Amino acid sequence: MSNKTIPAKEARAGGRLGTTINDSLIVTWRNLKRIPRIPELAIFAILQSIMFVLLFAFVFGGAIPLPGGGSYREYLMPGIFAQTIVFAAATTAVGMTDDVHKGILDRFRSLPMARSAVLTGRTLSDVAYNFGILIVLMLSGLAVGWTIRTGLPELLAGVGLLLLFAFAMSWIGVWLGLSVPTVEVAQQVGFTVLFPITFISNVFVPLQSLPSWLQPVAEWNPTSTLTASLRQLWGNPNPYASTGFPAEHPILVTLLWVVAIIAIFGPLGVRKYRSLSR
């Protein structure tokens, strides 16, 4: 290999990377611009999460005592944030299916742009979308009695973990959205798959209240480890008395879940997207 060929190849590689990043940001901006045009999507997503806050904080909360005491509302809110992020996969799935049926993906493929930008732009825009919803939910939580008992670094670390998990869940949504035939099916499948993931967890009740055979499943559930991580970072009550590895290292286990989800569903989503082009 001559000395002259190395810079040339590096230049081409840098050019492709720059083009991919630029195209990804364009697709991200395109997806974000759709949100004000369909405000109902964000409004109902926020209302659904606020409804869970109000129902469990004021209706069921009094009947769910925490082991060792503590504020149930402080216990609840990190779980509500985690639940909202998990359901982000359904939003991504519906968006991908909608783009396929409206021919937008065909339009993207006809343009001189990086193909990876379509999926990357979708996942990045959904992370930004969920960040906006989280801000509204956090303000709602503060209004009903949620408190952050640690400092600003722990607050930012928790938010960063939520957004990282949202990025991973959006890849599940990409694969799901490209695998189903219609938007209606994407909504039903997303709800059916994600609903038990959020409820077989420590979001609403301590794991000790679950049947013994179900507790290991709930303990390793990524929703549980994400919720436990947030409670640990923000100093909220966490009657997670188990001595298992997920209970003792919830942040590490959550990060491992993020890596595993992206490693599995990223290639699956790309494979589905390429199969559409054939």
Side-chain angles (χ1 to χ4, degrees):
M1 184 178 292
S2 70
N3 292 336
K4 291 182 180 178
T5 57
I6 295 174
K9 287 188 176 180
E10 288 178 348
R12 286 198 297 272
R16 284 197 296 272
L17 179 60
T19 300
T20 300
I21 294 174
N22 184 61
D23 292 346
S24 299
L25 293 178
I26 290 174
V27 175
T28 301
W29 180 239
R30 171 259 174 193
N31 291 332
L32 290 176
K33 285 200 314 184
R34 295 181 61 197
I35 296 175
R37 296 173 188 170
I38 316 176
E40 294 85 358
L41 190 63
I43 289 173
F44 282 103
I46 293 171
L47 287 179
Q48 174 183 295
S49 298
I50 291 177
M51 180 186 69
F52 274 110
V53 173
L54 298 179
L55 278 176
F56 278 86
F58 295 103
V59 179
F60 300 113
I64 307 176
L66 296 182
S71 167
Y72 180 74
R73 293 173 193 174
E74 285 191 34
Y75 171 82
L76 172 68
M77 286 311 301
I80 293 292
F81 301 144
Q83 181 196 47
T84 302
I85 290 302
V86 170
F87 273 109
T91 304
T92 305
V94 170
M96 287 302 301
T97 310
D98 191 44
D99 283 351
V100 171
H101 285 273
K102 287 182 177 176
I104 294 174
L105 293 191
D106 290 334
R107 175 61 176 159
F108 281 149
R109 285 199 296 268
S110 69
L111 297 175
M113 59 183 292
R115 290 197 170 189
S116 60
V118 177
L119 303 186
T120 306
R122 163 61 62 181
T123 54
L124 291 178
S125 63
D126 284 347
V127 170
Y129 168 78
N130 282 290
F131 181 55
I133 291 179
L134 277 177
I135 291 176
V136 176
L137 275 181
M138 285 184 168
L139 294 176
S140 303
L142 291 172
V144 300
W146 172 58
T147 303
I148 302 169
R149 299 190 178 278
T150 51
L152 181 61
E154 290 80 6
L155 169 63
L156 296 179
V159 173
L161 193 61
L162 281 166
L163 297 181
L164 195 60
F165 200 82
F167 180 71
M169 291 302 295
S170 66
W171 282 104
I172 296 180
V174 165
W175 173 74
L176 189 61
L178 295 175
S179 303
V180 298
T182 65
V183 171
E184 290 77 11
V185 174
Q187 290 174 327
Q188 292 299 325
V189 172
F191 182 79
T192 304
V193 172
L194 299 174
F195 197 79
I197 292 177
T198 58
F199 274 82
I200 304 175
S201 70
N202 61 355
V203 169
F204 299 108
V205 295
L207 295 182
Q208 295 84 352
S209 64
L210 299 178
S212 58
W213 61 269
L214 197 56
Q215 289 183 18
V217 178
E219 187 178 19
W220 282 94
N221 184 340
T223 312
S224 293
T225 61
L226 176 60
T227 302
S229 300
L230 298 177
R231 288 169 182 156
Q232 177 178 308
L233 285 169
W234 296 337
N236 294 139
N238 185 25
Y240 204 165
S242 169
T243 56
F245 189 82
E248 295 182 348
H249 308 281
I251 298 175
L252 174 61
V253 176
T254 302
L255 291 175
L256 291 176
W257 270 117
V258 168
V259 173
I261 291 171
I262 294 176
I264 295 172
F265 288 95
L268 287 177
V270 171
R271 185 177 179 181
K272 275 289 178 185
Y273 178 70
R274 286 177 176 169
S275 68
L276 294 176
S277 349
R278 295 171 186 165

